[in-house]
Amino acid sequence: MLSDAHGNRRRSLIPHFLPNSHHPPTSQMATDKVLVGVIGGSGLYNLDNLTFIKHVNPETPWGFPSSPIAISSLPSGALVAFVARHGVGHTISPSTIPARANIAALKSLGVSTILAFSAVGSLREEIAPGDFILPSQLIDRTKGVRPTSFFDDTGVVAHAGFGDPYSNGLGRWLEGAVKEALENEGRGTKLWTEKTLVVMEGPQFSTRAESLMYRMWGGDLIGMTALPEAKLAREAEISFALIATATDYDAWRPHEAGVTAAEVGAILKQNADTSRHVAAHVIERLLGAAQADSTSTLLTEEKGCMQFALMAPPLSVKNAALAYVLPEYFSAP
Ligand SMILES: CSC[C@H]1O[C@H](OP(=O)(O)O)[C@H](O)[C@@H]1O
Ligand SMILES: Nc1ncnc2[nH]cnc12
């Protein structure tokens, strides 16, 4: 019996196989290993508090990422890869974000852990605009127009475990590190944990009836981009956490007209400044913690999780797209 990163004890469906380190060469693939990737959401279009090194723009089997990926270095010299989810000029709507290309491109650079930032509406009075949240659960209200799997059209069937959509160990560790970052920034920003994020299709905001219904379902936050990103990171065996930043109270409050993009926009700059500070602080600490303890799984929590998901022995399948994103299991024809 084996257990996966979420502690589920399961019998593997497939025979034991050797890891396959083959990765398809591409002229645009960077050679430097970057262990941590950041996905920036609305308002967060760069990490210009870090030292910029270069842009890379890998063409993946799912096309190019939302933006060229900025590689920057932290004060320790460690590298970070940053992609702007909506493009640097915010030109890509939630429904058309090339999420597969974003995740696959980060994986091709060597990224094993992603911190994703997202602007969200609050469905709870106590979670105020400006607050930061580490959500632990998701409710999917997207409409099926977004590709949600790397396995589409590959002839390989995989059912990834998604009971805990964010990496548990990473999430628990982040609680202390994000709190510390917010405290040393000194703005008094609050951090919430264990919250449920509803992911809607958009791009229009919710009706008041929908907003009230999400509260009844147990939703605490609402956004438009957390899926399929988290599902794709799981399929790519990348540890993944979402750092959400509240921008508004959505439409449920009886005495208010409902959210507008202008209202969200008014707080995006403050949230983005704090997010940059949080990213730098947390990633430096994360890499330090992983380096200091050779048994740490902080950066590798999801490694191996797909071996429980595949319905056929992967070495029997040759597939260029799967070889790109899961070279651990698949090779190119
Ligand atoms: C500008 S308000 C709506 C927009 O903001 C959020 O984006 P992200 O999650 O990338 O920060 C939300 O999901 C919508 O896409
Ligand atoms: N109220 C809201 N609904 C959906 N996505 C959002 N992103 C920020 N605020 C939002």
Side-chain angles (χ1 to χ4, degrees):
M1 217 51 130
L2 297 155
S3 50
D4 66 15
H6 303 279
N8 305 315
R9 293 183 66 74
R10 309 194 38 184
R11 193 176 298 281
S12 176
L13 290 170
I14 54 176
H16 185 71
F17 52 85
L18 291 170
N20 170 7
S21 62
H22 169 78
H23 209 193
T26 126
S27 54
Q28 280 150 316
M29 197 182 288
T31 49
D32 305 340
K33 275 255 169 181
V34 193
L35 295 177
V36 178
V38 172
I39 300 179
S42 294
L44 186 62
Y45 308 112
N46 59 60
L47 289 181
D48 62 8
N49 54 333
L50 307 185
T51 306
F52 174 75
I53 294 178
K54 64 178 174 183
H55 279 122
V56 293
N57 201 13
E59 183 170 15
T60 77
W62 301 276
F64 287 98
S66 297
S67 71
I69 297 178
I71 309 290
S72 303
S73 71
L74 291 156
S76 66
L79 300 179
V80 178
F82 176 88
V83 60
R85 185 185 286 123
H86 300 277
V88 280
H90 205 127
T91 51
I92 306 172
S93 79
S95 304
T96 56
I97 290 164
R100 291 188 294 190
N102 291 347
I103 299 293
L106 290 173
K107 175 103 186 238
S108 79
L109 301 175
V111 165
S112 65
T113 300
I114 294 177
L115 302 179
F117 286 83
S118 174
V120 298
S122 169
L123 299 173
R124 301 290 158 193
E125 192 64 50
E126 64 275 18
I127 305 175
D131 289 357
F132 275 48
I133 312 100
L134 292 169
S136 55
Q137 279 299 328
L138 296 174
I139 294 175
D140 191 355
R141 282 275 297 165
T142 63
K143 306 273 185 194
V145 297
R146 311 171 185 197
T148 60
S149 173
F150 288 114
F151 292 88
D152 290 350
D153 308 318
T154 62
V156 179
V157 179
H159 301 286
F162 204 55
D164 291 309
Y166 297 114
S167 301
N168 280 332
L170 177 64
R172 278 193 299 273
W173 182 90
L174 274 176
E175 193 175 330
V178 174
K179 208 173 267 172
E180 190 179 87
L182 294 175
E183 274 165 17
N184 76 21
E185 196 196 30
R187 270 188 179 152
T189 305
K190 274 195 190 150
L191 177 68
W192 302 89
T193 59
E194 301 292 320
K195 299 296 174 197
T196 296
L197 169 60
V198 179
V199 189
M200 60 178 293
E201 188 61 49
Q204 301 83 358
F205 292 112
S206 307
T207 66
R208 197 180 306 281
E210 287 164 339
S211 195
L212 289 164
M213 179 180 73
Y214 299 145
R215 278 165 54 84
M216 287 193 289
W217 285 0
D220 302 302
L221 308 164
I222 182 151
M224 301 179 192
T225 63
L227 290 169
E229 218 165 71
K231 288 183 174 175
L232 295 166
R234 181 64 49 80
E235 284 190 347
E237 296 195 337
I238 295 176
S239 302
F240 189 85
L242 185 73
I243 303 178
T245 60
T247 51
D248 61 274
Y249 277 112
D250 202 45
W252 59 272
R253 280 167 135 198
H255 50 285
E256 281 179 7
V259 60
T260 62
E263 182 188 349
V264 171
I267 197 165
L268 282 183
K269 190 188 173 314
Q270 177 195 311
N271 284 359
D273 288 345
T274 302
S275 298
R276 278 187 203 96
H277 172 79
V278 166
H281 181 90
V282 162
I283 297 168
E284 198 79 279
R285 270 204 57 190
L286 183 65
L287 292 168
Q291 207 170 27
D293 174 5
S294 60
T295 64
S296 169
T297 55
L298 272 176
L299 298 176
T300 55
E301 195 175 346
E302 305 301 343
K303 293 277 173 229
C305 70
M306 289 306 287
Q307 88 179 276
F308 304 109
L310 301 167
M311 300 301 288
L315 287 184
S316 65
V317 179
K318 300 249 185 259
N319 183 287
L322 291 176
Y324 187 94
V325 73
L326 279 172
E328 300 88 343
Y329 304 102
F330 298 97
S331 51

